[in-house]
Amino acid sequence: MQLDEEAATARRLTGYAHGGGCACKIPPGELEDVVRGLIGQPGADVLVGLDSGDDAAAVLVRDDLAVLSTADFFTPVVDDAFDWGRIAAANALSDIYAMGGRPIMAINLVGWPRGVLPPEVMTEVLRGGLSIASEAGCPVIGGHSIDDPEPKYGMAVTGVAHPDRLLRNDAAAPGLPITLTKPIGVGLLNNRHKQTGEVFAEAVATMTGLNRDAAEGAVAAGLRAATDVTGFGLLGHLYKMCRASGVGAVIDLKAVPLVEGARQALRDGYVSGGTRRNLDWVRPHVRSAPGVTEDDLLLLADAQTSGGLLVVGELPGHPVIGHTTAGGGIEIR
């Protein structure tokens, strides 16, 4: 759908949401308090459940096949409806890739303010999601929608993997390199976009990029531990993996790749509330070397949307940003 410039300006999607993308997640500490003690339905066939807070659930259905399941949705992160759909779909599919799996089916999840935003805009969102799912070779078969004061979109995704080749967030061992497969900083640019309307093409390209090749490379290399970097930021997701695995980590600040414009957005104050909550949550477990500033920590805690994979092990073509250790906590150098 082509909207004229005046109509597009009057209908900025990010203006209909209190947050944007994965920055609108419930804060990690608050969420853990809510689900503490909820153990679900344990069983011998549950390979990955609630215990480690991994990216997707995994259930054994036969000796050589595990079924993976996840769901992810959020409020608009950009104003372009088609791009929002693409970003949300890539983000949902990422949970399957972060487990070393292959997505085989998705269903749409939609909340839509009827009478406020026209259905043609929702069509564009769904069309964007379908384009990314098609790129992933994942059929989109139906979905569920509700009338909602805020627009929301995402997917529930089913995937498959070999049970002996799962990438897990509780399988990290000490003394191994840590690889990051996408630059960080898109949360800062998304927040700037929401407040100013500026468009950042590199951020959109980063968020719509599939983690498929990185996941396939990690599995082929025999790696065992990974997670994706989304709403809890690099520090938050690294901390969750270290805690689940009983290891620590050292991060080389200068080795962490950034999306162009992210540091300028940080200097200009476009830090989301979600990012600040991420840092507050993980700060007790972080040790900073002299010269590491509060701004540096905020950048590492930046709430990402559809970020890359954080892999324990080396993946050719992607930067190594640190290593795991036998001790606890995260050291920033």
Side-chain angles (χ1 to χ4, degrees):
M1 178 185 64
Q2 297 295 324
L3 297 174
D4 61 53
E5 186 175 350
E6 182 179 353
T9 301
R11 194 179 291 145
R12 289 192 59 207
L13 282 174
T14 54
Y16 291 93
H18 74 283
C22 291
C24 66
K25 276 186 172 182
I26 293 175
E30 183 179 327
L31 182 61
E32 289 188 345
D33 288 342
V34 170
V35 302
R36 186 173 289 117
L38 302 178
I39 60 173
Q41 298 289 330
D45 294 335
V46 177
L47 301 177
V48 179
L50 292 173
D51 293 345
S52 65
D54 216 328
D55 296 292
V59 177
L60 186 70
V61 295
R62 65 175 191 242
D63 290 346
D64 63 345
L65 181 65
V67 172
L68 313 177
S69 182
T70 186
D72 211 312
F73 62 94
F74 47 67
T75 52
V77 67
V78 293
D79 292 322
D80 185 279
F82 183 77
D83 281 345
W84 174 33
R86 295 167 66 215
I87 293 165
N91 183 74
L93 291 164
S94 181
D95 285 341
I96 300 298
Y97 295 132
M99 300 292 294
R102 175 174 60 88
I104 61 169
M105 181 183 71
I107 59 174
N108 287 315
L109 303 173
V110 182
W112 203 254
R114 294 176 59 251
V116 176
L117 286 172
E120 293 83 4
V121 177
M122 182 168 67
T123 298
E124 282 296 282
V125 176
L126 296 174
R127 194 170 68 85
L130 182 60
S131 73
I132 289 294
S134 298
E135 181 183 340
C138 178
V140 181
I141 309 172
H144 183 69
S145 60
I146 62 168
D147 191 349
D148 192 321
E150 286 186 317
K152 300 177 180 73
Y153 174 63
M155 289 177 168
V157 187
T158 301
V160 293
H162 193 289
D164 296 335
R165 299 176 194 145
L166 288 173
L167 299 174
R168 304 173 57 129
N169 76 343
D170 62 357
L176 295 174
I178 298 173
T179 300
L180 181 63
T181 67
K182 284 186 183 182
I184 64 170
V186 297
L188 287 155
L189 295 179
N190 289 341
N191 198 30
R192 185 167 199 149
H193 172 70
K194 177 178 172 63
Q195 295 188 45
T196 69
E198 297 172 80
V199 176
F200 301 96
E202 184 182 344
V204 172
T206 296
M207 291 185 287
T208 56
L210 292 174
N211 284 325
R212 174 182 55 200
D213 292 348
E216 291 176 353
V219 171
L223 306 184
R224 291 290 175 261
T227 188
D228 65 350
V229 180
T230 55
F232 300 153
L234 173 60
L235 281 181
H237 288 285
L238 176 61
Y239 168 64
K240 288 184 66 178
M241 184 159 61
C242 288
R243 182 181 62 180
S245 300
V247 301
V250 173
I251 295 299
D252 178 2
L253 181 64
K254 293 181 180 178
V256 177
L258 305 179
V259 176
E260 183 180 357
R263 194 168 286 280
Q264 184 62 51
L266 176 67
R267 287 194 290 264
D268 292 343
Y270 293 101
V271 179
S272 69
T275 292
R276 296 189 186 280
R277 291 189 291 270
N278 288 341
L279 183 54
D280 288 343
W281 177 62
V282 78
R283 193 189 297 273
H285 313 285
V286 172
R287 304 182 303 276
S288 299
V292 175
T293 67
E294 182 74 3
D295 276 358
D296 292 330
L297 295 178
L298 284 168
L299 189 56
L300 294 176
D302 185 42
Q304 302 301 282
T305 297
S306 192
L309 298 186
L310 191 63
V311 182
V312 177
E314 190 166 355
L315 281 180
H318 300 286
V320 170
I321 64 167
H323 61 274
T324 54
T325 67
I330 299 170
E331 181 179 355
I332 312 298
R333 295 178 180 173

